[in-house]
Amino acid sequence: MTDPILEPFRRLIPPIGMVDISPIVAILVLQVVQSIIVETLRAMAL
């Protein structure tokens, strides 16, 4: 279920030892995208 989102990050970011940090990066990117969308919608509502 999460592979469509995580797979591009896994190709770009290699695991560090045995730790896969791609989910952390994906969450950060999704939060940035969410804040951009919210701010854009908020600005359009004014």
Side-chain angles (χ1 to χ4, degrees), residues 16-40:
I16 299 173
M18 295 191 66
V19 178
D20 182 17
I21 63 166
S22 60
I24 297 169
V25 175
I27 289 171
L28 292 174
V29 169
L30 288 173
Q31 286 180 339
V32 168
V33 170
Q34 178 187 8
S35 66
I36 291 170
I37 291 171
V38 167
E39 290 301 320
T40 302

